[in-house]
């Protein structure tokens, strides 16, 4: 079933908003996505008819809120083909999910002399936690290089994944280059050495089918707000065996089984990792976002974005923009970073904004990658289900205006 | 909503300094060299200062950044060269006041720099305009 973005747009109330009297051309979904009515209404419905704290009370209302929250967990498990909802931990988002693995798994398992491997294209959220971990543990942090056209140097795997490597941390889809990384190949390589792989799927989960078994991921993280859901919710998938073995992350209510004056025992997974009152309505909203994406079909989402990405790349190349990342849409998603000669990305973003076009300018939380690309900043247009060829055309018109200012 | 016009941001004098920056390049010898950047946007600036006693006798910059950051730095070098430390600091403080939406003080003193006033309407760009000036203030503290 193919996806008609003009129909999808009608689900998103924000597109009724005019920007400076013009059509809102939102090309910053890699940053955060817009929210469909189905998600917004689900959150309102929760607060109006189901709101109570979860897992703590015996009355009917609390049963409803708990069912809504746990229902969302089951939806998230299904979304990434996880074997059981027990392997789905709710967090605030990808950053917290990754930090949970750092504190809970890695602190107990990564020691002096060990290595943690990241890649040169990681988002800061999948880099800084590993800098902190390796600094405190005395382990070594290594970076798998990228090629000039934005692909991982898989030819170097033998040098970078060894019996010293305890953990590989890699993004499934780059937020800067759009590159879809060969995660399964990395998983096979690290598993052969007895290590684990953590997959940052913040950028991939909203845009393509993700299957933790196919990827053979040990941990996988994603955020609600980039996939049509509210901010404040995210997921950490972990293999059940690992989650069982791991010590808790935050201490507090709900994560315990029994508390004594001087020690406690832990709740079963995944509740062991969900201390305090969680972002309940946000998790329910994430569940509604999963339903929404399922109704479109993730294969259709991916197909639409491939087609639109090909069109945008063609238009950008035609005006001589320098586009970073792979040119083959089979190997990339719709986050397109580019530079236009003589126009700094900031100036570009300010000028196209006058035409109602939202693009990002800067380093996209990937400063080491910017250095690798040899640019201080890029402009980035990122595409999603509600974007159309018309959106790309408006962007291109605005780019021409920007060039005019600095010609 | 207040309608904003790009003409107020990209004034001709700003575009001129961006296209043809003044005092761009290394300054050798120098007394102070500072590298600062705008972490959110990636604007990068190297500022070189040369003093004769309390007088700022040489100012130059290198950098990569947007038109506002580079033009502001270029205008700054022209304006503060020849001033003494106290005067240069006062000028930087006036620009910062102007960017905070306050009265900058003596407009005549600022000359072309008044063209930066349009940036105030684009709040995210204010830190671009101030990159050079904040770096200068730090550099003036290092007067040998």
């Amino acid at each position: 079933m193919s996806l008609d973005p003009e129909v999808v747009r009608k689900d998103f109330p924000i597109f009724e908003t005019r920007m400076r009297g013009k059509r809102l051309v939102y090309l910053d979904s890699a940053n955060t996505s817009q929210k469909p009515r189905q998600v917004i209404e689900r959150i309102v419905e929760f607060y109006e008819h189901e709101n109570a704290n979860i897992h703590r009370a015996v009355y009917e209302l609390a049963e409803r809120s708990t069912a809504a929250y746990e229902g969302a967990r089951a939806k998230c498990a299904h979304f990434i083909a996880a074997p059981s909802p027990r392997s789905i931990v709710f967090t605030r988002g990808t950053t917290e999910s990754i930090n949970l693995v750092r504190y809970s798994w890695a602190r107990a398992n990564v020691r002096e002399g060990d290595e943690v491997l990241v890649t040169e294209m990681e988002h800061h959220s999948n880099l800084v936690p590993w800098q902190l971990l390796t600094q405190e543990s005395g382990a070594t942090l290594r970076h798998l290089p990228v090629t000039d056209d934005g692909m991982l140097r898989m030819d170097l795997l033998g040098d970078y994944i060894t019996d010293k490597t305890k953990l590989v941390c890699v993004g499934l889809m780059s937020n800067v280059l759009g590159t879809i990384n060969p995660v399964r190949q990395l998983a096979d390589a690290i598993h052969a050495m007895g290590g684990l792989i953590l997959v940052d799927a913040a950028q991939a989960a909203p845009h393509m089918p993700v299957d933790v078994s196919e990827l053979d991921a040990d941990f996988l993280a994603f955020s609600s707000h980039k996939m049509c859901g509210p901010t404040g919710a995210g997921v950490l998938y972990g293999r059940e065996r690992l989650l069982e073995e791991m010590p808790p992350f935050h201490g507090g209510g709900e994560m315990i089984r029994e508390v004594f004056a001087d020690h406690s025992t832990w709740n079963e997974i995944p509740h062991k990792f969900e201390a305090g009152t969680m972002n309940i309505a946000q998790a329910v909203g994430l569940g509604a976002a999963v339903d929404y994406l399922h109704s479109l079909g993730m294969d259709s989402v991916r197909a639409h974005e491939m087609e639109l990405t090909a069109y945008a790349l063609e238009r950008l190349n035609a005006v001589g923009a320098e586009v970073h990342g792979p040119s083959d849409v089979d190997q990339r998603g719709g986050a397109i970073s580019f530079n236009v000669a003589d126009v700094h990305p900031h100036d570009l973003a300010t000028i196209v904004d006058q035409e109602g076009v939202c693009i990002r300018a800067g380093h996209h939380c990937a400063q080491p990658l910017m250095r690798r690309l040899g640019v201080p900043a890029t402009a980035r247009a990122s595409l999603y289900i509600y974007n159309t060829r018309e959106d790309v055309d408006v962007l291109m018109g605005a780019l021409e205006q920007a060039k005019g200012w600095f010609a | 909503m207040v309608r904003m016009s790009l003409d107020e941001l990209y004034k001709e004098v700003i575009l001129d300094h961006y296209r043809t920056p003044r005092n761009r390049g290394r300054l050798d010898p120098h007394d102070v060299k500072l590298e600062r950047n705008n972490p959110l946007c990636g604007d990068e600036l190297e500022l070189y200062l040369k003093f004769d006693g309390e007088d700022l006798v040489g100012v130059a910059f290198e950098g990569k950044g947007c038109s506002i950051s580079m033009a502001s730095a270029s205008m700054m070098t022209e304006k503060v060269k020849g001033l003494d430390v106290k005067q240069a600091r006062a000028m930087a403080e006036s620009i910062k006041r102007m960017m905070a939406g306050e009265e900058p003080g003596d407009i005549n003193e600022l000359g072309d720099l008044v063209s930066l006033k349009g940036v105030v309407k684009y709040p995210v760009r204010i830190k671009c305009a101030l990159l050079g000036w904040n770096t200068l203030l730090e550099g003036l503290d290092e007067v040998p």
Side-chain angles (χ1 to χ4, degrees), chain A residues 339-340 342-348 362 375-378 406, chain B residues 10 17-19 21 24 36-38 41-46 61-73 125 127-129 131:
Chain A
N339 289 85
V340 176
D342 303 324
V343 189
H344 189 277
H346 288 182
D347 293 312
L348 198 61
V375 290
T378 73
F406 298 97
Chain B
Y10 296 121
H17 275 267
Y18 179 53
R19 291 190 194 108
R24 184 157 189 171
R36 290 294 177 267
N37 61 18
N38 206 335
C41 341
D43 291 338
E44 294 166 359
L45 184 86
E46 275 174 29
F61 79 105
E62 261 298 357
K64 285 184 211 159
C66 67
S67 59
I68 303 301
S69 66
M70 294 296 110
S72 179
R125 304 299 296 277
K127 57 189 184 308
C128 307
L131 177 61

Side-chain angles (χ1 to χ4, degrees), chain A residues 343-356:
Chain A
V343 189
H344 189 277
H346 288 182
D347 293 312
L348 198 61
T350 295
I351 293 168
V352 303
D353 177 46
Q354 304 297 307
E355 300 303 312

